[in-house]
Amino acid sequence: VAVSEPALVDAQVQAAIAAGEYRRALELLTQAYLDLVFGYCFRVLNEDTPRAKDVAQQVFEEVCRGIARYRGESSVKTWLLAIAHHQCLKEIATCARRGSLLAQHQDEVVTHLHAEPPMLAESAVLSQEWLVWLARSLDQLDPEDRSILIMRFGVGVAHELSTTEIAQILGISRAAAYRRLQEALMHLRRMMPDATG
Amino acid sequence: MLRDEREHYDEEARDAIEGLRRLARRIETPPDLRPEVLLRGEQLLPPQQEPRVRWWTVVAGWRPHPLAWGPVVAAAFFVAGISVSWPHAGLLLKDVVSERPSAPAVRQLPQEPAEISPAPPAVSSQLLKREMRQQAERDPASPEPRSRLERSAQQQLTSSSQMKVTATLPAELYEQLQQEAQRRQVSVAAILREAVEAYAHSPRRVD
Protein backbone atom coordinates (compact mmCIF):
# COMPACT_ATOMS: atom_id res chain seq x y z
CA VAL A 1 0.00 0.00 0.00
CA ALA A 2 1.54 3.22 -1.13
CA VAL A 3 1.25 5.88 1.55
CA SER A 4 2.72 9.30 1.09
CA GLU A 5 1.15 12.66 1.84
CA PRO A 6 -1.45 12.88 4.63
CA ALA A 7 -3.98 14.43 2.25
CA LEU A 8 -3.45 11.60 -0.21
CA VAL A 9 -3.78 9.04 2.55
CA ASP A 10 -6.97 10.68 3.73
CA ALA A 11 -8.36 10.57 0.21
CA GLN A 12 -7.43 6.91 -0.14
CA VAL A 13 -8.99 6.06 3.22
CA GLN A 14 -12.18 7.92 2.38
CA ALA A 15 -12.38 6.26 -1.02
CA ALA A 16 -11.91 2.82 0.52
CA ILE A 17 -14.60 3.51 3.13
CA ALA A 18 -16.99 4.88 0.51
CA ALA A 19 -16.39 1.76 -1.57
CA GLY A 20 -17.10 -0.43 1.45
CA GLU A 21 -13.54 -1.78 1.42
CA TYR A 22 -13.06 -1.52 5.15
CA ARG A 23 -10.20 -3.98 5.33
CA ARG A 24 -8.18 -1.87 2.94
CA ALA A 25 -9.13 1.27 4.86
CA LEU A 26 -7.88 -0.29 8.08
CA GLU A 27 -4.59 -1.25 6.45
CA LEU A 28 -4.11 2.29 5.23
CA LEU A 29 -4.96 3.72 8.61
CA THR A 30 -2.57 1.51 10.52
CA GLN A 31 0.20 2.05 8.03
CA ALA A 32 -0.10 5.81 8.06
CA TYR A 33 -1.23 6.60 11.59
CA LEU A 34 -0.38 3.79 13.99
CA ASP A 35 2.87 5.48 15.02
CA LEU A 36 1.02 8.72 15.62
CA VAL A 37 -1.65 7.09 17.75
CA PHE A 38 0.79 5.01 19.71
CA GLY A 39 3.14 7.95 20.23
CA TYR A 40 0.33 10.09 21.48
CA CYS A 41 -0.92 7.38 23.84
CA PHE A 42 2.59 6.65 25.01
CA ARG A 43 3.21 10.26 25.93
CA VAL A 44 -0.21 10.92 27.46
CA LEU A 45 -0.05 7.70 29.45
CA ASN A 46 3.22 8.66 31.06
CA GLU A 47 5.44 6.61 28.78
CA ASP A 48 3.83 3.39 29.84
CA THR A 49 4.37 1.18 26.81
CA PRO A 50 1.98 -1.68 27.70
CA ARG A 51 -0.82 0.74 28.48
CA ALA A 52 -0.08 2.78 25.41
CA LYS A 53 -0.27 -0.38 23.31
CA ASP A 54 -3.58 -1.34 24.90
CA VAL A 55 -5.09 2.06 24.39
CA ALA A 56 -3.79 2.30 20.82
CA GLN A 57 -5.42 -1.05 20.20
CA GLN A 58 -8.66 0.25 21.69
CA VAL A 59 -8.46 3.32 19.49
CA PHE A 60 -8.35 1.21 16.34
CA GLU A 61 -11.10 -1.01 17.66
CA GLU A 62 -13.27 2.07 18.00
CA VAL A 63 -12.25 3.05 14.50
CA CYS A 64 -13.32 -0.33 13.16
CA ARG A 65 -16.69 -0.11 14.91
CA GLY A 66 -17.40 3.34 13.52
CA ILE A 67 -15.62 3.14 10.19
CA ALA A 68 -18.84 2.96 8.16
CA ARG A 69 -20.03 6.20 9.73
CA TYR A 70 -16.93 8.20 8.88
CA ARG A 71 -17.90 10.84 6.31
CA GLY A 72 -14.70 12.83 6.13
CA GLU A 73 -16.04 15.89 7.91
CA SER A 74 -12.69 16.13 9.70
CA SER A 75 -9.28 14.87 8.65
CA VAL A 76 -8.41 11.27 9.40
CA LYS A 77 -5.73 12.44 11.80
CA THR A 78 -8.22 14.54 13.76
CA TRP A 79 -10.68 11.66 13.79
CA LEU A 80 -8.07 9.24 15.15
CA LEU A 81 -6.65 11.62 17.72
CA ALA A 82 -10.13 12.54 18.91
CA ILE A 83 -10.74 8.87 19.66
CA ALA A 84 -7.29 8.52 21.17
CA HIS A 85 -7.85 11.59 23.34
CA HIS A 86 -11.07 10.18 24.79
CA GLN A 87 -9.62 6.72 25.22
CA CYS A 88 -6.56 8.01 27.03
CA LEU A 89 -8.56 10.22 29.36
CA LYS A 90 -10.86 7.32 30.07
CA GLU A 91 -7.88 5.12 30.78
CA ILE A 92 -6.38 7.68 33.12
CA ALA A 93 -9.66 8.31 34.90
CA THR A 94 -10.33 4.64 35.45
CA CYS A 95 -6.81 3.81 36.50
CA ALA A 96 -6.53 4.02 40.24
CA ARG A 97 -2.89 3.15 40.09
CA ARG A 98 -1.92 6.36 38.40
CA GLY A 99 0.22 7.75 41.20
CA SER A 100 2.01 4.51 41.80
CA LEU A 101 2.63 4.02 38.07
CA LEU A 102 4.31 7.40 37.88
CA ALA A 103 6.70 6.53 40.67
CA GLN A 104 7.28 3.05 39.34
CA HIS A 105 8.20 4.11 35.81
CA GLN A 106 10.18 7.25 36.48
CA ASP A 107 13.44 5.37 36.63
CA GLU A 108 12.63 3.54 33.42
CA VAL A 109 11.94 6.81 31.69
CA VAL A 110 15.23 8.23 32.77
CA THR A 111 17.05 5.10 31.65
CA HIS A 112 15.30 5.16 28.32
CA LEU A 113 16.12 8.78 27.67
CA HIS A 114 19.75 8.32 28.60
CA ALA A 115 19.99 5.27 26.40
CA GLU A 116 19.41 7.39 23.29
CA PRO A 117 22.47 8.69 21.46
CA PRO A 118 22.96 12.31 22.46
CA MET A 119 22.11 14.97 19.91
CA LEU A 120 25.00 17.30 19.95
CA ALA A 121 23.28 20.36 18.60
CA GLU A 122 20.38 20.03 21.02
CA SER A 123 22.37 19.13 24.06
CA ALA A 124 23.80 22.59 24.20
CA VAL A 125 20.39 24.14 24.82
CA LEU A 126 18.22 21.35 26.13
CA SER A 127 20.23 18.87 28.11
CA GLN A 128 19.22 15.27 28.57
CA GLU A 129 18.64 16.02 32.20
CA TRP A 130 16.34 18.83 31.28
CA LEU A 131 14.36 16.50 29.01
CA VAL A 132 13.97 14.05 31.86
CA TRP A 133 12.59 16.85 33.95
CA LEU A 134 10.26 17.77 31.16
CA ALA A 135 8.97 14.22 30.93
CA ARG A 136 8.42 14.10 34.67
CA SER A 137 6.67 17.44 34.70
CA LEU A 138 4.52 16.38 31.81
CA ASP A 139 3.47 13.32 33.74
CA GLN A 140 2.33 15.50 36.62
CA LEU A 141 0.20 17.74 34.50
CA ASP A 142 -3.54 17.45 34.41
CA PRO A 143 -4.28 14.66 31.89
CA GLU A 144 -6.38 16.89 29.67
CA ASP A 145 -3.71 19.60 29.61
CA ARG A 146 -1.12 16.96 28.84
CA SER A 147 -3.25 15.60 26.04
CA ILE A 148 -3.67 19.03 24.51
CA LEU A 149 0.05 19.75 24.68
CA ILE A 150 0.94 16.42 23.12
CA MET A 151 -1.62 16.77 20.34
CA ARG A 152 -0.23 20.20 19.56
CA PHE A 153 3.53 19.62 20.01
CA GLY A 154 4.26 16.05 21.01
CA VAL A 155 3.19 13.72 18.20
CA GLY A 156 5.93 14.47 15.72
CA VAL A 157 6.22 17.57 13.62
CA ALA A 158 4.52 15.98 10.62
CA HIS A 159 1.43 15.07 12.59
CA GLU A 160 1.00 18.00 14.96
CA LEU A 161 -2.56 19.19 15.19
CA SER A 162 -3.47 22.81 14.78
CA THR A 163 -5.24 24.67 17.55
CA THR A 164 -8.36 24.66 15.42
CA GLU A 165 -8.26 20.88 15.13
CA ILE A 166 -7.75 20.55 18.88
CA ALA A 167 -10.71 22.86 19.43
CA GLN A 168 -12.71 20.59 17.16
CA ILE A 169 -11.76 17.55 19.21
CA LEU A 170 -12.52 19.22 22.52
CA GLY A 171 -15.72 20.79 21.26
CA ILE A 172 -14.66 24.29 22.20
CA SER A 173 -13.79 27.45 20.28
CA ARG A 174 -10.37 27.99 18.80
CA ALA A 175 -9.76 30.89 21.17
CA ALA A 176 -10.62 28.72 24.16
CA ALA A 177 -8.35 25.96 22.90
CA TYR A 178 -5.50 28.44 22.41
CA ARG A 179 -6.04 29.79 25.93
CA ARG A 180 -5.92 26.28 27.35
CA LEU A 181 -2.73 25.58 25.40
CA GLN A 182 -1.10 28.68 26.85
CA GLU A 183 -2.16 27.77 30.37
CA ALA A 184 -0.93 24.18 29.99
CA LEU A 185 2.42 25.41 28.73
CA MET A 186 2.64 27.84 31.63
CA HIS A 187 1.92 25.09 34.16
CA LEU A 188 4.47 22.82 32.53
CA ARG A 189 7.10 25.52 32.48
CA ARG A 190 6.56 26.35 36.16
CA MET A 191 7.43 22.77 37.05
CA MET A 192 10.63 22.91 35.06
CA PRO A 193 14.07 24.33 35.86
CA ASP A 194 15.55 26.75 33.34
CA ALA A 195 16.65 25.11 30.12
CA THR A 196 20.10 26.50 30.47
CA GLY A 197 20.34 25.39 34.06
CA MET B 1 4.94 21.80 12.00
CA LEU B 2 1.72 23.72 11.81
CA ARG B 3 2.55 27.38 12.09
CA ASP B 4 -0.22 29.74 13.03
CA GLU B 5 0.48 33.44 12.81
CA ARG B 6 -2.16 34.12 15.42
CA GLU B 7 -0.30 32.08 18.02
CA HIS B 8 2.52 33.52 20.02
CA TYR B 9 4.54 31.75 22.68
CA ASP B 10 7.13 33.36 24.90
CA GLU B 11 10.72 32.22 25.17
CA GLU B 12 10.20 29.86 28.10
CA ALA B 13 7.20 28.25 26.45
CA ARG B 14 9.23 27.79 23.29
CA ASP B 15 11.78 25.77 25.27
CA ALA B 16 9.01 23.51 26.50
CA ILE B 17 7.64 23.18 22.98
CA GLU B 18 11.02 22.23 21.64
CA GLY B 19 11.45 19.75 24.47
CA LEU B 20 8.05 18.18 23.68
CA ARG B 21 9.07 17.77 20.05
CA ARG B 22 12.30 16.09 21.00
CA LEU B 23 10.54 13.72 23.34
CA ALA B 24 8.20 12.76 20.48
CA ARG B 25 11.16 11.74 18.33
CA ARG B 26 12.23 9.15 20.87
CA ILE B 27 9.06 7.09 20.72
CA GLU B 28 9.18 3.81 18.86
CA THR B 29 6.07 1.85 18.06
CA PRO B 30 6.34 -1.80 19.09
CA PRO B 31 6.64 -3.88 15.90
CA ASP B 32 4.03 -6.38 17.04
CA LEU B 33 1.33 -3.75 17.49
CA ARG B 34 0.26 -3.46 13.87
CA PRO B 35 -0.42 -7.19 13.32
CA GLU B 36 -2.39 -7.23 16.55
CA VAL B 37 -4.43 -4.22 15.54
CA LEU B 38 -5.17 -5.68 12.10
CA LEU B 39 -6.10 -9.04 13.54
CA ARG B 40 -8.45 -7.58 16.11
CA GLY B 41 -9.76 -4.99 13.67
CA GLU B 42 -10.78 -7.57 11.09
CA GLN B 43 -13.08 -9.16 13.64
CA LEU B 44 -14.76 -5.85 14.34
CA LEU B 45 -15.03 -4.44 10.85
CA PRO B 46 -18.54 -4.33 9.38
CA PRO B 47 -19.15 -6.73 6.49
CA GLN B 48 -18.27 -5.64 3.01
CA GLN B 49 -21.18 -3.72 1.51
CA GLU B 50 -22.98 -4.72 -1.68
CA PRO B 51 -22.66 -2.11 -4.43
CA ARG B 52 -26.37 -1.26 -4.28
CA VAL B 53 -26.28 -0.76 -0.52
CA ARG B 54 -23.09 1.18 -0.89
CA TRP B 55 -24.61 3.63 -3.35
CA TRP B 56 -27.66 4.02 -1.17
CA THR B 57 -25.38 4.78 1.76
CA VAL B 58 -23.62 7.43 -0.27
CA VAL B 59 -26.90 8.97 -1.41
CA ALA B 60 -28.37 8.82 2.07
CA GLY B 61 -25.24 10.42 3.41
CA TRP B 62 -25.74 13.41 1.16
CA ARG B 63 -28.32 15.31 3.10
CA PRO B 64 -27.96 18.98 2.34
CA HIS B 65 -30.02 21.67 3.95
CA PRO B 66 -33.62 21.69 2.68
CA LEU B 67 -33.01 25.10 1.13
CA ALA B 68 -30.39 23.52 -1.09
CA TRP B 69 -33.09 21.47 -2.80
CA GLY B 70 -34.70 24.62 -4.25
CA PRO B 71 -32.02 25.27 -6.87
CA VAL B 72 -31.85 21.54 -7.62
CA VAL B 73 -35.58 21.35 -8.33
CA ALA B 74 -35.46 24.60 -10.31
CA ALA B 75 -32.58 23.25 -12.41
CA ALA B 76 -34.50 20.03 -13.02
CA PHE B 77 -37.54 21.95 -14.25
CA PHE B 78 -35.31 24.13 -16.44
CA VAL B 79 -33.71 21.10 -18.07
CA ALA B 80 -37.10 19.47 -18.53
CA GLY B 81 -38.43 22.65 -20.12
CA ILE B 82 -35.58 22.74 -22.59
CA SER B 83 -35.63 19.07 -23.50
CA VAL B 84 -39.39 18.53 -23.83
CA SER B 85 -40.96 19.99 -26.98
CA TRP B 86 -44.23 21.61 -26.01
CA PRO B 87 -47.10 21.96 -28.55
CA HIS B 88 -47.19 25.28 -30.33
CA ALA B 89 -49.68 27.82 -29.02
CA GLY B 90 -51.03 28.56 -32.47
CA LEU B 91 -51.73 24.90 -33.02
CA LEU B 92 -53.74 24.71 -29.83
CA LEU B 93 -55.78 27.74 -30.85
CA LYS B 94 -56.43 26.25 -34.26
CA ASP B 95 -57.70 23.06 -32.67
CA VAL B 96 -60.09 24.98 -30.47
CA VAL B 97 -61.40 27.02 -33.36
CA SER B 98 -61.97 23.99 -35.55
CA GLU B 99 -64.01 22.32 -32.82
CA ARG B 100 -66.35 25.25 -32.47
CA PRO B 101 -69.74 25.21 -34.18
CA SER B 102 -70.03 27.28 -37.28
CA ALA B 103 -72.36 29.82 -35.78
CA PRO B 104 -69.69 32.19 -34.53
CA ALA B 105 -68.09 32.20 -37.93
CA VAL B 106 -71.05 34.04 -39.36
CA ARG B 107 -71.32 36.28 -36.36
CA GLN B 108 -67.77 37.42 -36.92
CA LEU B 109 -68.76 39.20 -40.09
CA PRO B 110 -67.70 42.80 -39.78
CA GLN B 111 -70.70 44.34 -41.49
CA GLU B 112 -73.21 42.35 -39.54
CA PRO B 113 -75.86 44.66 -38.09
CA ALA B 114 -76.35 44.07 -34.43
CA GLU B 115 -80.14 44.26 -34.46
CA ILE B 116 -80.60 41.66 -37.20
CA SER B 117 -78.31 38.90 -35.98
CA PRO B 118 -78.80 36.64 -38.94
CA ALA B 119 -78.48 32.97 -38.31
CA PRO B 120 -75.87 31.09 -40.29
CA PRO B 121 -76.88 28.21 -42.46
CA ALA B 122 -75.22 25.63 -40.26
CA VAL B 123 -77.40 26.40 -37.28
CA SER B 124 -80.52 27.05 -39.16
CA SER B 125 -82.49 24.15 -37.79
CA GLN B 126 -84.52 26.26 -35.41
CA LEU B 127 -84.89 28.96 -37.98
CA LEU B 128 -86.07 26.45 -40.51
CA LYS B 129 -88.64 25.20 -38.04
CA ARG B 130 -89.80 28.71 -37.41
CA GLU B 131 -89.82 29.51 -41.09
CA MET B 132 -91.88 26.46 -41.89
CA ARG B 133 -94.29 27.44 -39.19
CA GLN B 134 -94.49 30.99 -40.54
CA GLN B 135 -94.88 29.75 -44.05
CA ALA B 136 -97.73 27.52 -42.99
CA GLU B 137 -99.37 30.40 -41.20
CA ARG B 138 -98.86 32.75 -44.12
CA ASP B 139 -100.23 30.32 -46.62
CA PRO B 140 -103.10 28.49 -44.98
CA ALA B 141 -104.48 27.49 -48.33
CA SER B 142 -101.46 25.47 -49.16
CA PRO B 143 -102.33 22.24 -50.81
CA GLU B 144 -99.90 20.44 -48.57
CA PRO B 145 -101.35 19.37 -45.31
CA ARG B 146 -99.69 20.57 -42.12
CA SER B 147 -98.41 17.16 -41.19
CA ARG B 148 -96.69 16.85 -44.54
CA LEU B 149 -95.11 20.23 -44.15
CA GLU B 150 -93.85 19.24 -40.75
CA ARG B 151 -92.46 16.00 -42.11
CA SER B 152 -90.71 17.90 -44.84
CA ALA B 153 -89.35 20.36 -42.38
CA GLN B 154 -88.18 17.54 -40.21
CA GLN B 155 -86.38 16.00 -43.16
CA GLN B 156 -84.81 19.31 -43.93
CA LEU B 157 -83.85 19.73 -40.37
CA THR B 158 -82.26 16.32 -40.31
CA SER B 159 -80.43 16.92 -43.50
CA SER B 160 -79.47 20.42 -42.52
CA SER B 161 -78.28 19.28 -39.17
CA GLN B 162 -75.98 16.89 -40.99
CA MET B 163 -74.74 19.67 -43.24
CA LYS B 164 -72.31 21.78 -41.37
CA VAL B 165 -71.27 24.79 -43.31
CA THR B 166 -68.29 26.31 -41.66
CA ALA B 167 -67.13 28.68 -44.35
CA THR B 168 -67.32 32.36 -43.63
CA LEU B 169 -69.39 34.36 -46.07
CA PRO B 170 -67.79 37.38 -47.66
CA ALA B 171 -69.22 40.62 -46.44
CA GLU B 172 -70.40 41.74 -49.87
CA LEU B 173 -72.19 38.48 -50.49
CA TYR B 174 -73.79 38.67 -47.09
CA GLU B 175 -75.03 42.19 -47.86
CA GLN B 176 -76.49 41.03 -51.14
CA LEU B 177 -78.19 38.17 -49.37
CA GLN B 178 -79.64 40.54 -46.81
CA GLN B 179 -80.97 42.88 -49.51
CA GLU B 180 -82.46 39.96 -51.35
CA ALA B 181 -84.04 38.68 -48.17
CA GLN B 182 -85.54 42.08 -47.45
CA ARG B 183 -86.84 42.41 -50.96
CA ARG B 184 -88.43 38.97 -50.89
CA GLN B 185 -89.42 39.35 -47.26
CA VAL B 186 -87.84 36.03 -46.29
CA SER B 187 -84.94 35.21 -44.08
CA VAL B 188 -81.36 34.95 -45.23
CA ALA B 189 -81.39 31.32 -44.21
CA ALA B 190 -84.22 30.62 -46.62
CA ILE B 191 -82.30 32.16 -49.45
CA LEU B 192 -79.23 30.19 -48.53
CA ARG B 193 -81.25 27.00 -48.35
CA GLU B 194 -82.65 27.66 -51.80
CA ALA B 195 -79.20 28.32 -53.13
CA VAL B 196 -77.87 25.12 -51.62
CA GLU B 197 -80.76 23.09 -52.99
CA ALA B 198 -80.37 24.65 -56.38
CA TYR B 199 -76.72 23.84 -56.35
CA ALA B 200 -77.50 20.31 -55.24
CA HIS B 201 -79.77 19.79 -58.23
CA SER B 202 -77.47 21.49 -60.63
CA PRO B 203 -75.93 19.22 -63.28
CA ARG B 204 -72.67 21.20 -63.10
CA ARG B 205 -72.19 20.36 -59.48
CA VAL B 206 -68.70 19.43 -58.54
CA ASP B 207 -68.56 16.88 -55.75
Side-chain angles (χ1 to χ4, degrees):
Chain A
V1 181
V3 177
S4 52
E5 292 295 319
L8 181 60
V9 175
D10 284 17
Q12 288 175 340
V13 168
Q14 285 183 26
I17 292 172
E21 297 171 359
Y22 302 131
R23 175 75 170 83
R24 175 174 159 71
L26 180 63
E27 284 179 358
L28 285 165
L29 286 170
T30 53
Q31 185 160 355
Y33 293 112
L34 184 61
D35 291 345
L36 165 70
V37 171
F38 175 79
Y40 167 84
C41 295
F42 179 78
R43 190 59 65 196
V44 173
L45 296 173
N46 302 328
E47 303 182 349
D48 186 337
T49 302
R51 286 173 75 205
K53 274 180 70 178
D54 287 347
V55 174
Q57 176 88 36
Q58 290 166 18
V59 169
F60 280 94
E61 287 176 11
E62 286 298 312
V63 166
C64 291
R65 289 190 188 100
I67 198 165
R69 294 192 299 273
Y70 179 67
R71 295 276 173 263
E73 283 111 2
S74 61
S75 68
V76 172
K77 182 177 67 182
T78 308
W79 176 43
L80 290 174
L81 282 187
I83 297 172
H85 171 75
H86 292 297
Q87 289 291 334
C88 283
L89 292 187
K90 196 167 84 174
E91 170 70 14
I92 291 168
T94 54
C95 184
R97 300 178 297 137
R98 178 170 180 258
S100 61
L101 277 170
L102 275 172
Q104 182 185 341
H105 289 281
Q106 265 182 1
D107 294 339
E108 293 177 22
V109 170
V110 173
T111 308
H112 176 72
L113 289 173
H114 280 288
E116 290 291 321
M119 290 177 282
L120 297 175
E122 296 165 357
S123 59
V125 181
L126 301 172
S127 65
Q128 295 297 329
E129 189 181 356
W130 192 85
L131 286 176
V132 172
W133 269 107
L134 180 67
R136 285 181 186 172
S137 304
L138 197 60
D139 293 349
Q140 291 165 18
L141 265 185
D142 175 75
E144 193 144 356
D145 287 348
R146 184 163 68 241
S147 173
I148 294 169
L149 283 179
I150 292 167
M151 281 193 285
R152 183 68 187 90
F153 303 112
V155 288
V157 174
H159 291 306
E160 285 176 0
L161 262 60
S162 68
T163 309
T164 306
E165 288 172 318
I166 293 171
Q168 193 178 352
I169 290 173
L170 299 179
I172 57 178
S173 68
R174 187 199 165 277
Y178 179 53
R179 196 165 52 245
R180 287 191 65 171
L181 261 173
Q182 292 276 21
E183 288 171 1
L185 273 172
M186 201 183 303
H187 289 156
L188 181 67
R189 199 62 189 85
R190 278 182 196 149
M191 297 176 194
M192 295 287 299
D194 288 339
T196 52
Chain B
M1 175 187 172
L2 290 167
R3 295 189 184 279
D4 192 331
E5 298 300 325
R6 293 171 292 183
E7 294 181 13
H8 174 75
Y9 303 101
D10 59 20
E11 194 66 34
E12 289 187 348
R14 268 181 245 161
D15 287 344
I17 290 168
E18 187 56 34
L20 286 168
R21 287 184 174 141
R22 288 192 190 169
L23 286 176
R25 289 181 208 149
R26 299 167 183 270
I27 301 170
E28 287 181 5
T29 306
D32 59 338
L33 182 57
R34 187 163 184 251
E36 288 175 16
V37 167
L38 285 174
L39 188 68
R40 177 75 181 132
E42 279 182 11
Q43 298 166 2
L44 296 168
L45 284 172
Q48 191 93 358
Q49 285 186 337
E50 293 293 323
R52 191 176 50 185
V53 178
R54 194 185 312 149
W55 278 111
W56 173 246
T57 308
V58 172
V59 171
W62 190 68
R63 289 176 191 149
H65 194 272
L67 288 176
W69 285 102
V72 174
V73 173
F77 272 97
F78 179 73
V79 171
I82 288 175
S83 58
V84 175
S85 60
W86 299 99
H88 195 268
L91 185 63
L92 284 175
L93 185 61
K94 184 182 170 187
D95 292 343
V96 170
V97 169
S98 67
E99 287 173 4
R100 283 188 176 178
S102 55
V106 177
R107 286 198 200 102
Q108 287 169 1
L109 288 170
Q111 285 88 3
E112 179 184 7
E115 63 274 8
I116 294 176
S117 68
V123 289
S124 61
S125 57
Q126 290 183 354
L127 276 174
L128 282 173
K129 264 187 183 177
R130 203 180 307 145
E131 184 201 355
M132 295 302 293
R133 211 175 295 126
Q134 287 171 356
Q135 200 172 7
E137 286 169 4
R138 265 201 313 270
D139 190 9
S142 170
E144 293 183 24
R146 185 181 179 83
S147 60
R148 189 176 171 186
L149 276 174
E150 284 179 353
R151 232 185 355 262
S152 171
Q154 189 65 36
Q155 284 175 355
Q156 286 175 350
L157 282 173
T158 307
S159 62
S160 67
S161 66
Q162 291 169 353
M163 292 170 61
K164 300 289 183 187
V165 181
T166 56
T168 304
L169 292 175
E172 292 176 2
L173 178 58
Y174 187 74
E175 268 185 11
Q176 288 176 3
L177 284 171
Q178 274 187 320
Q179 288 169 2
E180 181 67 15
Q182 283 176 358
R183 191 178 62 78
R184 291 170 55 184
Q185 292 185 340
V186 293
S187 67
V188 175
I191 293 172
L192 281 171
R193 180 169 52 82
E194 285 174 10
V196 169
E197 284 175 359
Y199 178 75
H201 292 97
S202 170
R204 288 180 298 172
R205 185 181 64 170
V206 179
D207 286 324

